[in-house]
Every structure is written in C-alpha cells, then in structure tokens.
Amino acid sequence: MSVQQAPQSRVFVELVPWADRGRENYLLSGGETQPGLRRPLSSAQTQTATREVHVSGTAEVSATPDRAQVVVQMSSTKEAAAEAKKSVCRRLDYITQTLQQQGVQSENVTVTKDFQRVENAYHMEAEVCITFTEFGKMQNICNFLVEKLDSSVVISQPQFYHTPGSIENLRRQACVVAVENAWRKAQEVCNLVGQTLGKPLLIKEEEMKEWEGQIDDHQSSRLSGSLTVQQKIKSATIHAASKVFITFEVKGREKKKKHI
C-alpha cells in the first residue's frame, strides 16, 4: 500500500523592514507577481533610507510707514482777476521756495491751480501736495509755514503710508526669519539626540498674515485729527507674520578616528 506524498509548501512573503514604500507588488515563488502587498528590499537598501526631522517656524516683523503726504491749500477772492492771482501766487512762490531751500525734491511736489468767476468776483485756489520721506523734516517745514503764513494757508494733517516695495520687503523678511527660526529649532533637536542636521528637503510657507497697527482703546476714542504724529505713525505701522514648515535630512555623527 503506497503512502500519498504531502504537497510541497511555498513561501509567498518574507517580513522585512520596508524601504521602498512606493512598490505595490510582491513576488511569488516562480517569479509571479501578486498586487496588494509591497515588495521588500534588501537590508542594505533599508539602512540607506533617508532619516528626516520635520519642524515648523514662525516669525512676526513690523515696518513703520516710509512716506507721508501733506497738502497745503490757499485761496483768494477779488473783484479784479489780477489781484486774486497775485495774492495766491505770492504765497505759492513762498512755499515752493521754502521747500527747495529745505531740500525737498521737485518730483515730490505737485502744484495744482484753479481759477474761476464767482458772481461779481474772481476766485483762485492753489494746492501744493508734498510727499516726505523724512518725517522730522516734514514737521519742521509745516511748523515754519504755519508761523510765517498763519491763517492764509491751510495745512492738512499728514497721511502716512507704505510704498508697495516696502510691503513686499516686509513679507520676504517675515518668511526668511521664520525659516531661520525653524532651522535653529531643528539644529537644537539634532544636537540634543546626538545627530547632525543635513540639507533641507522641503521648505513650505504655510501661512502669511498682514495687519495694520492699532492704537489703544483710549486713543481710538479720540478724534483722529487730534492724534499726535507718533500716534499716527504707530497706527499706520504694518505687521506681517509668516509660518513655515521644513523637512531636514538627519545624518549620524561621524566617529573620530583614533590615531595610533
């Protein structure tokens, strides 16, 4: 009586650490493939898998306005047209001469004039729009014109603002500082666990926010025209905050060779 031989068993999968996580097949004995499981790699390939540290970094920076605009207005109403023009032009010439003496560039000064007939008289208005980059000089010039011309001119409150280039620089600065903070964090973590920080593998800015500075409740309850120059500058200050996410490569520290 013959004994029936048991069928031979076959090994389909060997459990080893995975390094290539993008493969979705495994080998059957005989070279066939079966979908649904990943194919294991050798232990040598597993040891060369990249080690990473993931960190986030934030930063907030601010910039005061870099421009201010002041408008000086003057007018005159006379029965004779020449008298109305002469009255306005005399003050206008004095203002433009003062600006030149104080070093204000002509491209930062805009003059507009309007002349019209009003009932039985002639009315002339002139407006000087001045853009300042030095706020101390702006205050000195405005104070001087008030002292010399008194009520014959009307000087507006300064309007502070940012040029487009300064805002873009502020955004870049916020991002760069956030990246620097993330790098320092990753450096300290690697030092703590006895590893060496490698090159960045991914840098991503996740969030960027901007807002204007706000004066406190007590100041905001007051009329905006009564605010001091410093309060106006503070209110026009722009803040920018950036949040970044960075993945760094992590390297083991090399052992120092002992010299015999």
Side-chain angles (χ1 to χ4, degrees):
M1 184 174 178
S2 62
V3 179
Q4 186 177 1
Q5 187 176 2
Q8 296 180 351
S9 61
R10 296 188 297 175
V11 178
F12 293 93
V13 179
E14 180 184 3
L15 297 178
V16 296
W18 299 102
D20 185 6
R21 299 187 178 183
R23 304 293 292 272
E24 297 295 334
N25 299 325
Y26 74 91
L27 286 179
L28 298 175
S29 61
E32 300 175 357
T33 61
Q34 177 78 17
L37 294 178
R38 299 186 180 94
R39 181 180 180 179
L41 298 179
S42 64
S43 59
Q45 290 173 306
T46 301
Q47 292 175 357
T48 60
T50 303
R51 294 182 301 168
E52 303 172 351
V53 58
H54 305 262
V55 293
S56 63
T58 60
E60 180 182 324
V61 295
S62 61
T64 56
D66 59 344
R67 295 289 189 276
Q69 192 173 81
V70 172
V71 177
V72 183
Q73 296 174 318
M74 62 216 76
S75 63
S76 177
T77 303
K78 302 287 185 179
E79 292 183 358
E83 289 297 322
K85 290 181 179 180
K86 181 180 179 180
S87 176
V88 172
C89 290
R90 184 175 62 251
R91 285 170 283 172
L92 186 60
D93 291 341
Y94 184 84
I95 292 172
T96 54
Q97 183 180 7
T98 300
L99 295 176
Q100 291 175 357
Q101 292 174 348
Q102 294 297 324
V104 179
Q105 301 298 320
S106 58
E107 58 266 23
N108 293 327
V109 180
T110 303
V111 178
T112 57
K113 301 177 183 178
D114 181 66
F115 185 76
Q116 56 185 326
R117 176 81 172 176
V118 179
E119 296 180 352
N120 296 325
Y122 293 92
H123 181 78
M124 183 174 180
E125 293 181 354
E127 184 177 276
V128 183
C129 183
I130 315 162
T131 300
F132 292 95
T133 57
E134 301 177 39
F135 301 155
K137 178 184 290 188
M138 174 194 69
Q139 288 182 283
N140 292 335
I141 291 176
C142 290
N143 292 340
F144 179 80
L145 293 178
V146 169
E147 178 183 353
K148 297 299 181 180
L149 299 178
D150 197 19
S151 59
S152 64
V153 296
V154 177
I155 302 177
S156 70
Q157 291 293 322
Q159 299 296 319
F160 297 95
Y161 65 96
H162 294 260
T163 56
S166 67
I167 297 177
E168 187 60 34
N169 288 336
L170 185 67
R171 297 185 186 122
R172 287 197 297 267
Q173 183 185 3
C175 181
V176 169
V177 175
V179 170
E180 183 179 359
N181 291 340
W183 177 83
R184 289 179 177 175
K185 183 191 296 185
Q187 186 74 50
E188 292 178 4
V189 170
C190 287
N191 290 338
L192 182 64
V193 297
Q195 301 295 306
T196 300
L197 185 66
K199 62 184 179 181
L201 304 176
L202 172 68
I203 301 177
K204 178 182 179 182
E205 186 177 40
E206 296 185 323
E207 186 179 14
M208 167 62 72
K209 296 189 298 183
E210 298 175 22
W211 67 95
E212 285 191 353
Q214 299 294 328
I215 54 180
D216 57 41
D217 294 338
H218 175 70
Q219 293 173 345
S220 62
S221 62
R222 302 166 60 188
L223 294 176
S224 59
S226 64
L227 295 178
T228 67
V229 170
Q230 291 302 320
Q231 289 170 343
K232 288 178 177 291
I233 292 175
K234 182 179 178 181
S235 179
T237 297
I238 290 182
H239 302 263
S242 175
K243 180 181 180 181
V244 300
F245 174 83
I246 307 181
T247 298
F248 289 97
E249 181 183 10
V250 176
K251 298 180 179 180
R253 289 184 177 176
E254 296 182 358
K255 296 182 179 179
K256 295 182 179 180
K257 296 181 179 180
K258 296 182 179 180
H259 296 280
I260 300 176

